[in-house]
Amino acid sequence: MAALTISFIVGVIGNIISILVFLSPITTFRGIVKKKATENFKGIPYICTLLSTSLWTYYGLLKPDGMLIITVNGAGAVLQVIYVTLFIFYAPKDSKIKHLKLAGILNVGFYGAVLLVTLLATHGSLRLTVVGFICAGLTLGMYGAPLGAMKNVIATKSVEYMPFMLTFFLFLNGGIWSVYSVLVKDFFIGVPNVIGFVLGSVQLIMYIIYNNKSKAKKLSMEKLEEEGSAHLVQGTVEMGKYNEDMMMMKERSLNKGWSLPKPTVLRQLSSQKIVKSHSMNVDSLPLSTEDAEDIENQKL
């Protein structure tokens, strides 16, 4: 009875954390709706999670005392339908077609095939076992889907497209459901959630590392921008002073040009003497015969 009570409490806590996991993308989709674009966000994790929650709901219906599994995964499936619909609506044309095909194949084709095969070809505990294996595999896919975002984080050295809340709650979700699986001795719940807990830990560590690097890079860029602005202002001031000095020098030179000293009387007299002597020297030059005849003819 005590074990049952503890498992129920842990299950309720697991439900609360799982709901928080399912609600964590709300911030992401709020940004998508606001910008009317999916940018570099990936839609595959939501499609995979929709398939996972749908099948876990089916597993809960088959399992005795599976009400906790039904409630949390049923709510999760509804939320994932909303997310997938919004993502496809705001995705670019090529991405829209790609995600529509993927959603059709997984959430309609594959899910429908599992229902048909297990209902028609299996019975009792075998049916539960088959669905349990499928659910465990899909849960691993749900936990592994953010690994694509981790690759993007390493390439860009930025955690912009790795939502922290989703990463954090996936980490908690894997941990609490691992504890629950031990208490209720459910292998299908335990294995994928233990692996999910490990992957969530790795993602959290990566987020912390690259988030610190992003902050350091941002601070460095801001410092460089501030220094560049300071140098620009200083350069502008110095250039202004230089231009002002040049203008003053130019004005001084112009003023000097306009106020040149007038030549003194002595200089004027000396200049007249030079001109007169030059004229006398010209007159004293000997004339040629032809020039003398021309002068005599002009006198006549």
Side-chain angles (χ1 to χ4, degrees):
M1 182 69 180
L4 179 63
T5 305
I6 293 172
S7 64
F8 181 79
I9 293 171
V10 172
V12 171
I13 295 171
N15 271 16
I16 295 170
I17 294 174
S18 294
I19 292 295
L20 291 175
V21 170
F22 298 141
L23 290 174
S24 62
I26 286 179
T27 303
T28 299
F29 280 92
R30 186 180 298 166
I32 288 174
V33 172
K34 186 177 180 180
K35 296 178 181 177
K36 300 185 185 303
T38 56
E39 296 183 315
N40 288 338
F41 290 105
K42 308 296 181 183
I44 295 175
Y46 307 105
I47 293 173
C48 291
T49 305
L50 173 58
L51 179 60
S52 177
T53 51
S54 300
L55 284 170
W56 275 113
T57 303
Y58 180 43
Y59 178 83
L61 291 169
L62 297 175
K63 182 180 175 66
D65 301 323
M67 184 58 62
L68 289 174
I69 299 172
I70 294 170
T71 53
V72 67
N73 285 285
V78 173
L79 288 171
Q80 299 309 313
V81 168
I82 296 171
Y83 298 151
V84 172
T85 303
L86 287 174
F87 189 92
I88 293 173
F89 183 79
Y90 287 107
K93 186 176 180 180
D94 293 342
S95 180
K96 191 190 299 288
I97 294 170
K98 175 184 174 182
H99 285 88
L100 273 172
K101 288 180 179 179
L102 186 63
I105 292 169
L106 294 179
N107 301 124
V108 178
F110 183 77
Y111 182 69
V114 170
L115 289 178
L116 286 174
V117 170
T118 53
L119 288 173
L120 298 175
T122 60
H123 300 280
S125 61
L126 178 61
R127 180 182 298 167
L128 185 65
T129 301
V130 171
V131 176
F133 270 112
I134 296 171
C135 288
L138 288 173
T139 302
L140 283 175
M142 182 187 74
Y143 284 121
L147 294 175
M150 291 171 65
K151 182 181 178 181
N152 193 25
V153 168
I154 295 171
T156 60
K157 300 187 185 303
S158 171
V159 293
E160 182 180 0
Y161 296 106
M162 185 180 180
F164 173 76
M165 295 304 294
L166 178 60
T167 303
F168 178 69
F169 284 121
L170 280 174
F171 163 77
L172 288 182
N173 191 65
I176 195 68
W177 283 109
S178 297
V179 174
Y180 177 81
S181 68
V182 172
L183 293 173
V184 300
K185 299 178 181 179
D186 193 318
F187 170 84
F188 299 117
I189 295 175
V191 172
N193 281 287
V194 168
I195 296 173
F197 178 74
V198 173
L199 289 175
S201 302
V202 173
Q203 291 170 28
L204 270 182
I205 292 169
M206 181 173 289
Y207 186 94
I208 293 168
I209 292 171
Y210 283 99
N211 188 45
N212 291 335
K213 287 185 177 180
S214 299
K215 287 180 179 179
K217 185 178 179 181
K218 186 177 180 181
L219 289 172
S220 178
M221 291 297 293
E222 288 177 353
K223 186 176 180 181
L224 286 174
E225 287 178 0
E226 289 176 0
E227 290 178 355
S229 300
H231 287 310
L232 181 61
V233 171
Q234 185 178 359
T236 304
V237 172
E238 290 177 355
M239 182 61 72
K241 289 181 178 179
Y242 174 77
N243 291 334
E244 186 178 351
D245 292 341
M246 290 298 294
M247 289 295 293
M248 291 177 66
M249 290 174 66
K250 189 174 180 180
E251 289 176 2
R252 289 175 183 174
S253 62
L254 289 172
N255 291 332
K256 287 181 180 180
W258 284 107
S259 60
L260 290 173
K262 295 181 180 180
T264 60
V265 176
L266 292 174
R267 287 182 182 176
Q268 290 178 356
L269 291 173
S270 61
S271 299
Q272 291 174 2
K273 286 180 180 180
I274 292 169
V275 172
K276 185 176 181 181
S277 63
H278 180 72
S279 301
M280 290 175 66
N281 290 334
V282 172
D283 292 338
S284 62
L285 289 173
L287 297 173
S288 64
T289 308
E290 293 179 357
D291 291 338
E293 289 178 357
D294 289 337
I295 292 171
E296 288 297 329
N297 289 331
Q298 288 178 2
K299 288 180 178 179
L300 293 173

